[in-house]
Amino acid sequence: MKYHQQIKLRRLYTVLTLFLLLAIPQTTLANEQESEDINVQKIIFDHMSDAYEWHLWGHTHIPLPVIVKHHEGGWEVFSSARFHESADGTYNGFYIDHERKDKVYERGYDDRPWDISITKDVVQIWINIAVMLLIFIPCARWYKKRQAEDAHAAPKGFRGAVEMLVMYIHDDVIKACIGERHYRRYAPYLLTVFFFIFVTNLMGLIPIFPGGSNVTGNLSITLLLAVGTFLLVNIFGNKEYWKEILWPDVPMMMKCPVPLMPVVEIIGIFTKPFALMMRLFANMFGGHTVILSLTCLIFITFKVSVGMGSSMTVVSFLMLIFMNCLELLVAFLQAYVFTMLSSVYIGLAHPEHHAK
């Protein structure tokens, strides 16, 4: 009896997986297929770019608050659904310019107004933070209770998995890269960055609400994360770190009269966080692009012939499963690499003085 129940549960899980992988992209593409051509580029960028509403399925959206300031003064706060109520898509002089990255503009002005709207990426970040709080607050309460009752009790189940992951990043990445003397002050920041990127990447793989927003595929988000590492490295770096940058231990001809090595080292201060920013952005953006492109391929081949579309559906579906499994690995790997490189850069900012 239990065996048959397991078979039914596996079949149900398979059906749900198929829906999560294909239902939402196909709904969007089905609407696009009603037109003459499928604009693959528009579909991909519309799905991965930030927006003033959260698309669910078909023509169903969740409107989000728009908060903008008039060029002549005064703030406007209204729902993004107001843009759909007028024929020209304008509300109180504001409209969404689809030719300029789908941003809000004001009629009669070419430059953008002050815009602090609560967009899809902002809501996704709030959801991701809520998920992290739901994970770590119960774990913290359990550890506090354990100290009061049984200090030798070991966590089990989900708490045990969280502890294993935290201790792995803490001991084998942060402590190993920064060093025994300085790692403690940076561990809270680096652990927070790791789990924020990891949870955000996982939530971006869920194609339905409350997931699906490609937050780490947004260059402004990865820029902010890289700036955090940049500030920690250069504000708290010791004297030996700045000596190695401004007056490195190289032959004099490479420092004076032409400061070749100091210039190279100063450029390196900015290229390191730039590499952090671009690596995370490019990997997450590229993975989502491949998945959506494979989904679009099904509808493109159906326009050629039914036979080719049917055969390509099987190929694309298998590739979609493979890419989603690969993206699960990439979700962890990119969080790990960002944390490891940040730890390495922070560790390099605390070199020890070596006497000759």
Side-chain angles (χ1 to χ4, degrees):
M1 186 66 180
K2 293 183 178 179
Y3 175 76
H4 293 292
Q5 291 178 350
Q6 291 177 357
I7 294 295
K8 291 180 180 179
L9 288 175
R10 289 176 182 175
R11 289 176 179 174
L12 177 61
Y13 175 76
T14 303
V15 172
L16 291 175
T17 304
L18 297 180
F19 172 76
L20 293 177
L21 289 175
L22 297 177
I24 300 305
Q26 284 187 356
T27 302
T28 305
L29 288 168
N31 296 329
E32 195 72 23
Q33 198 176 21
E34 295 175 359
S35 60
E36 295 181 357
D37 297 316
I38 297 177
N39 191 338
V40 178
Q41 182 179 0
K42 183 178 183 301
I43 293 171
I44 293 175
F45 281 95
D46 285 350
H47 175 77
M48 293 191 298
S49 60
D50 201 3
Y52 295 94
E53 56 190 10
W54 199 306
H55 178 263
L56 297 180
W57 58 81
H59 298 286
T60 304
H61 302 79
I62 298 177
L64 299 174
V66 178
I67 308 172
V68 288
K69 184 180 181 181
H70 287 281
H71 282 81
E72 298 179 356
W75 288 88
E76 286 280 352
V77 181
F78 56 92
S79 171
S80 60
R82 299 290 187 180
F83 291 124
H84 303 289
E85 294 178 355
S86 60
D88 59 351
T90 302
Y91 179 77
N92 285 355
F94 294 104
Y95 69 101
I96 297 179
D97 194 330
H98 298 288
E99 296 181 357
R100 290 187 281 187
K101 299 182 180 180
D102 292 334
K103 299 298 183 181
V104 170
Y105 284 83
E106 188 174 4
R107 296 289 183 188
Y109 298 92
D110 292 331
D111 57 327
R112 289 199 61 207
W114 283 94
D115 186 358
I116 56 172
S117 302
I118 301 176
T119 60
K120 182 175 70 172
D121 283 352
V122 174
V123 176
Q124 183 69 80
I125 291 174
W126 291 350
I127 294 173
N128 297 342
I129 293 173
V131 171
M132 293 175 63
L133 292 176
L134 290 175
I135 292 173
F136 289 106
I137 288 179
C139 292
R141 288 177 178 173
W142 183 87
Y143 279 100
K144 186 177 181 180
K145 182 179 179 181
R146 185 188 70 169
Q147 292 177 356
E149 297 179 358
D150 186 3
H152 300 286
K156 299 179 181 179
F158 182 72
R159 282 192 295 266
V162 172
E163 181 187 17
M164 178 190 68
L165 189 57
V166 169
M167 296 309 299
Y168 171 68
I169 299 299
H170 182 272
D171 294 341
D172 296 342
V173 177
I174 299 173
K175 186 177 179 179
C177 294
I178 297 179
E180 188 76 28
R181 292 183 58 185
H182 305 287
Y183 81 94
R184 292 183 183 275
R185 63 191 301 187
Y186 302 105
Y189 164 76
L190 292 170
L191 284 170
T192 303
V193 166
F194 170 80
F195 280 100
F196 173 77
I197 296 175
F198 186 38
V199 171
T200 300
N201 291 346
L202 292 179
M203 293 295 289
L205 296 177
I206 302 175
I208 58 176
F209 184 83
S213 180
N214 188 26
V215 174
T216 46
N218 188 327
L219 200 57
S220 61
I221 303 299
T222 57
L223 171 63
L224 185 61
L225 294 171
V227 167
T229 299
F230 172 80
L231 294 176
L232 285 180
V233 170
N234 294 284
I235 291 177
F236 299 103
N238 60 18
K239 293 186 297 183
E240 294 296 322
Y241 167 72
W242 287 107
K243 180 181 178 299
E244 291 179 359
I245 291 176
L246 300 177
W247 198 255
D249 189 13
V250 295
M252 184 61 68
M253 60 179 295
M254 302 183 70
K255 298 183 290 187
C256 185
V258 179
L260 178 61
M261 286 305 299
V263 170
V264 172
E265 293 291 339
I266 291 173
I267 294 174
I269 292 176
F270 299 96
T271 56
K272 290 175 183 176
F274 179 79
L276 283 177
M277 174 187 70
M278 293 304 300
R279 179 183 288 107
L280 179 59
F281 162 76
N283 279 279
M284 302 314 300
F285 187 88
H288 285 261
T289 302
V290 172
I291 291 174
L292 289 169
S293 299
L294 290 171
T295 307
C296 292
L297 188 61
I298 299 173
F299 291 86
I300 293 173
T301 52
F302 263 110
K303 281 185 169 291
V304 178
S305 67
V306 176
M308 182 180 294
S310 301
S311 59
M312 190 54 65
T313 299
V314 177
V315 176
S316 296
F317 174 72
L318 295 176
M319 289 299 297
L320 280 171
I321 295 178
F322 170 75
M323 284 303 303
N324 275 274
C325 293
L326 184 63
E327 282 293 292
L328 287 174
L329 175 63
V330 172
F332 170 80
L333 190 61
Q334 289 306 312
Y336 173 84
V337 169
F338 192 97
T339 308
M340 181 190 67
L341 291 178
S342 297
S343 302
V344 169
Y345 297 154
I346 293 172
L348 292 175
H350 295 85
E352 301 296 333
H353 177 72
H354 298 285
K356 295 184 180 180

